[in-house]
Amino acid sequence: MKRTALVTGGARGIGAVISRRLAEDGWDIRIHHNQSEQEAHALAEELNGIAIQADVRDFASVRAMFQAAGPIDLLVNNAGVAQYGLFTDIGPEAWRDLFAVNVDGVYHCTQCVLPHMLREKRGAIVNIASIWGITGASCEAAYAATKAAVIGLTKSLAKELGPSGIRVNCVAPGAIDTEMLQSLSAAELALLRDETPLGTIGTPDDVAHLVAFLASDKARFLTGQVISPNGGLVI
């Protein structure tokens, strides 16, 4: 029986690469998007999957998405937003919006996926966090705080859901070549490479391959883990 995966933020960037990688492994893909409708439907056609719109900040919207998606065996909580700036410049509205997407979104999706997984006594959840959720980051305090929350939730759910056969793991990428790095200058990128022991910046494939492994039966004895593909930047 073919298994079904839902990837939030699955239409672009790392999410799209994760969707493609899981499809290669035989997963039936549900591609969540909020505003990237054209990209989501094009990718769904490519992968013979289904594109579904939802605002992960809104529980009713997420619940409708899961009703449309059908039973989900793998949830990849990838949708997220970032903000760069001094902590003193982050207003209450921006702070709440970061948490609404990065933390509430994970809460909403996980709440909606669990009834099926608990009935089946199996399933896997992979949360995408960030290296900054492990170490903290100057000028990214709010973003780091949201990702630290995701890491804490991952570990707690792994303990709570393990007896039901549900595995929960976290991927916390370092510097990955995505739109989030486009604001950096060539000099800043060069410095980032120099500070990384492997001397390079990661690619979305580096994240997607790890997600696919954690979703597979090869990772049957892994839960509650935070794995950080970061080239040795943080060890």
Side-chain angles (χ1 to χ4, degrees):
M1 183 177 180
K2 198 167 187 179
R3 298 171 299 172
T4 302
L6 189 150
V7 181
T8 68
R12 301 169 59 237
I14 290 175
V17 179
I18 291 172
S19 296
R20 288 190 177 96
R21 181 64 183 81
L22 292 173
E24 289 176 6
D25 283 353
W27 290 90
D28 191 7
I29 305 298
R30 303 289 182 265
I31 301 164
H32 156 263
H33 70 96
N34 186 17
Q35 298 177 333
S36 302
E37 181 177 5
Q38 184 175 350
E39 295 95 331
H41 284 279
L43 185 58
E45 184 175 355
E46 173 190 333
L47 303 180
N48 196 28
I50 297 174
I52 309 174
Q53 189 276 337
D55 183 347
V56 297
R57 298 171 296 182
D58 180 70
F59 184 71
S61 180
V62 171
R63 183 169 52 195
M65 172 176 69
F66 276 87
Q67 290 171 346
I72 299 299
D73 305 294
L74 166 65
L75 169 63
V76 181
N77 281 309
N78 169 74
V81 293
Q83 180 169 332
Y84 186 83
L86 293 171
F87 176 76
T88 50
D89 291 337
I90 299 172
E93 184 177 344
W95 176 272
R96 285 193 297 267
D97 191 60
L98 278 171
F99 272 84
V101 176
N102 295 356
V103 182
D104 294 352
V106 173
Y107 165 79
H108 293 151
C109 292
T110 304
Q111 284 281 8
C112 288
V113 83
L114 280 180
H116 168 71
M117 290 185 176
L118 289 168
R119 282 194 302 269
E120 296 295 317
K121 294 193 178 302
R122 64 182 178 88
I125 299 171
V126 180
N127 296 321
I128 307 300
S130 167
I131 191 175
W132 307 134
I134 300 172
T135 67
S138 175
C139 294
E140 293 191 76
Y143 177 73
T146 66
K147 294 306 185 178
V150 170
I151 288 170
L153 180 61
T154 297
K155 294 180 178 182
S156 299
L157 286 178
K159 294 181 177 181
E160 186 172 326
L161 300 174
S164 297
I166 301 167
R167 297 184 299 106
V168 188
N169 289 291
C170 184
V171 176
I176 304 296
D177 187 11
T178 65
E179 290 181 7
M180 287 187 179
L181 290 188
Q182 289 182 358
S183 62
L184 299 181
S185 67
E188 288 171 327
L189 288 172
L191 179 62
L192 189 56
R193 291 189 187 94
D194 289 342
E195 292 176 344
T196 302
L198 288 181
T200 187
I201 290 173
T203 70
D205 282 323
D206 295 320
V207 179
H209 289 314
L210 183 52
V211 171
F213 169 71
L214 291 172
S216 74
D217 293 337
K218 294 177 181 178
R220 58 168 294 278
F221 202 49
L222 284 175
T223 195
Q225 302 306 301
V226 181
I227 305 176
S228 182
N230 63 58
L233 185 62
V234 171
I235 297 175

